[in-house]
Amino acid sequence: MRFDAVLASVLYSSALFLGQVRADDLDSEPSSVAAESSTTTASVQKATFTPSKITADFLEQFTDDWNSRWNPSHAKKQDSSADADWAYVGQWEVEEPHVLTAIVGDKGLVVKNAAAHHAISAKFPKKIDNKGKTLVVQYEVKLQNGLECGGAYMKLLQDNKALHAEEFSNASPYIIMFGPDKCGSTNKVHFIFRHKNPKTGEYEEKHLKTAPMAKIEKLTNLYTLIVKPDQTFEIKINGESMKTGSLLEDFSPSVNPEKEIDDEKDTKPADWVDEAKISDPDAKKPDDWDEDAPYEIVDEEATKPDDWLDGELSMIPDPEAEKPEDWDDEEDGDWVPPSVPNPKCEAASGCGKWEQPTKKNPAYKGKWSAPFIDNPAYKGVWAPRKIQNPDYFEDKTPANFEPMGAIGFEIWTMQSDILFDNIYIGHSIEDAEKLKAETFDIKRPIEVALDEAEKPKAPEKPKSPMDLKFMDDPVLYVREKVQLFLTLVQKDPVEAIRFVPEVAGGIGVLVVTLLVVVISALGGSSPPPQVKKAVEKTKETAANVKDQAVDAATTGVEKVQAEVNKRTTRSSGTVE
């Protein structure tokens, strides 16, 4: 017992010495938190808001006079499918973003309530007539709390008497709906326009068939719609073209109806033959065709395996089963142990009465039926005849939208703090690009930098054993230091002691302590004073070696660094 206690003290004292040496190093080094400065949000240079001088049919940057143009709606939302009308109770504010603020003083229109209906609109200084012109719609969306279910799209409202007399709601007729929408598996950038039927005067929504996906992130994203007089359109996100097409070809339902339609009065003739194939009436069943032959027959060539156990049952009573203590033979009847597979049968081919197996009958043909042949009376697939569509019209210029008198946001969302900013509605692609350069192109890179700065930095892995810190991983620190020492000592013991003094000191303590253990085990008493002095002297020497290594490291590092560079640590791979 005495020997075990002393041995335990040997191991403990050695590890303690290595730890103490490293602790001394830590006391002399500045805190890693204070020494290693990471990028912070404070170090990111922000911009200052300056209103744009660009002019357009409608340009909104939500300056201090914004409420003179925008009117929140308190109307009731019309929904025939709902039991009750929904009021637009959602609040709107104009404020700077609280997430990744890139431009000081740059404010936007913000949806303030989650799970609420919101509606707000602003009338144009004068109606926008797009006939023969290019239409450009552009605005920024910032989903500060993300977007799980809700819309962030805008509507360009039709200019009519109702627009100026009633509050904006979902029933207000619009000409264009454009912007992101996300809920569940739905994630798209809407582009819908209402087209007027020149024959009936009725309006019909035309939906883009394959819409691009919206950007669902907390950074600002710029959505741009360009519709040209040649009836083509382009959707951009952050200046990158995401979808191009034609108003005449890429929308459903189509702008123009079919010239011809099926005649509803036409009916299929009674003698019309639809069957392309019929059974061959001249075919006869062959004389040797046996319809009664079975699918399987007994395999007469099969023989019983030699290890077949005829006298054994495949299932036997469980020999380990015991009758329950509460079993009453009079009430429950005679107790019968449950059956289990016979273990003897598992080692053999089988048990019980052996019977020849069955096999597929080579003479089996099944029920005979006549083969199919081409039907000589077949006339093809019947379809009603085509007639001229009485409702047909051809609108070659659907891009000549009806006049638009206002912009509105009418949305429902489960997330609050959706921010809208830098709205451009006009006819100049160049001016929209200039506004993008003045706002989004400045804002987005700063937001990216802020976002990166806020992310937790992963700890940098040490490139060599000399970069390891004892407090980060004591076990790895000791293991790598010992391995480095053993490598260096083979080349130059003196430089090994200077370069890795912790290990040299630890080995010295270990050697002296082992002597103490041996003397104590043989003598059965405590070590003599001379040995104790030797231990203390060894510790002092090791500490002195550590101090001297600091001065000698500069001159010795050139010799040792080559060996360090050859080693590959498990923490970072080959040292460069």
Side-chain angles (χ1 to χ4, degrees), residues 315-533:
M315 300 293 290
I316 61 172
D318 186 357
E320 298 182 0
E322 296 181 359
K323 183 171 71 173
E325 295 181 358
D326 59 350
W327 188 275
D328 190 331
D329 291 334
E330 294 182 358
E331 294 184 3
D332 302 326
D334 293 336
W335 180 78
V336 178
S339 296
V340 295
N342 189 341
K344 296 181 181 180
C345 299
E346 295 180 0
S349 298
C351 294
K353 183 181 178 182
W354 181 82
E355 295 180 351
Q356 290 177 312
T358 59
K359 65 177 183 179
K360 186 176 179 180
N361 185 0
Y364 174 77
K365 294 185 177 181
K367 186 175 179 61
W368 181 87
S369 60
F372 282 96
I373 60 172
D374 292 335
N375 187 353
Y378 176 64
K379 294 184 177 181
V381 178
W382 183 86
R385 63 174 174 265
K386 296 289 186 179
I387 60 173
Q388 292 295 319
N389 184 357
D391 298 323
Y392 173 75
F393 63 85
E394 185 179 17
D395 183 356
K396 296 182 178 181
T397 58
N400 290 338
F401 300 118
E402 292 288 308
M404 295 163 280
I407 177 178
F409 292 98
E410 188 270 318
I411 58 178
W412 178 89
T413 175
M414 287 299 295
Q415 278 68 47
S416 62
D417 294 322
I418 299 174
L419 183 146
F420 305 104
D421 198 7
N422 294 315
I423 304 172
Y424 175 94
I425 302 173
H427 306 288
S428 174
I429 298 176
E430 291 75 17
D431 286 347
E433 285 289 335
K434 289 179 183 178
L435 181 63
K436 170 179 173 290
E438 293 178 5
T439 55
F440 177 79
D441 289 349
I442 296 174
K443 181 184 302 183
R444 175 82 181 195
I446 298 176
E447 289 183 347
V448 172
L450 290 170
D451 188 42
E452 288 297 322
E454 291 181 358
K455 292 179 180 178
K457 303 297 181 182
E460 205 173 305
K461 293 183 178 181
K463 295 182 178 179
S464 75
M466 303 310 297
D467 297 328
L468 292 172
K469 298 183 181 300
F470 180 79
M471 297 305 295
D472 292 341
D473 190 340
V475 175
L476 178 63
Y477 175 85
V478 172
R479 183 172 66 243
E480 293 293 337
K481 288 289 186 178
V482 170
Q483 290 181 357
L484 177 59
F485 179 82
L486 294 177
T487 301
L488 296 177
V489 79
Q490 296 176 12
K491 300 291 184 180
D492 192 335
V494 176
E495 293 298 335
I497 294 173
R498 290 180 178 178
F499 207 73
V500 196
E502 309 97 309
V503 178
I507 293 175
V509 172
L510 180 61
V511 170
V512 174
T513 309
L514 285 174
L515 292 175
V516 175
V517 173
V518 173
I519 294 174
S520 300
L522 295 177
S525 60
S526 60
Q530 294 89 342
V531 176
K532 291 183 177 179
K533 289 182 179 180

Side-chain angles (χ1 to χ4, degrees), residues 101-145:
T101 304
I103 301 178
V104 178
D106 184 21
K107 299 179 181 180
L109 180 66
V110 181
V111 174
K112 297 302 296 181
N113 306 104
H117 296 272
H118 296 73
I120 192 170
S121 62
K123 293 181 174 64
F124 299 147
K126 62 178 182 180
K127 68 179 181 180
I128 297 177
D129 190 343
N130 197 58
K131 292 182 179 178
K133 301 176 183 178
T134 294
L135 177 66
V136 182
V137 180
Q138 180 173 280
Y139 72 118
E140 294 175 358
V141 179
K142 186 178 180 70
L143 307 173
Q144 300 185 86
N145 294 330

Side-chain angles (χ1 to χ4, degrees), residues 247-261:
L247 299 183
L248 294 169
E249 299 173 359
D250 296 295
F251 287 78
S252 179
S254 177
V255 170
N256 297 313
E258 298 290 336
K259 290 183 178 181
E260 293 183 333
I261 59 174

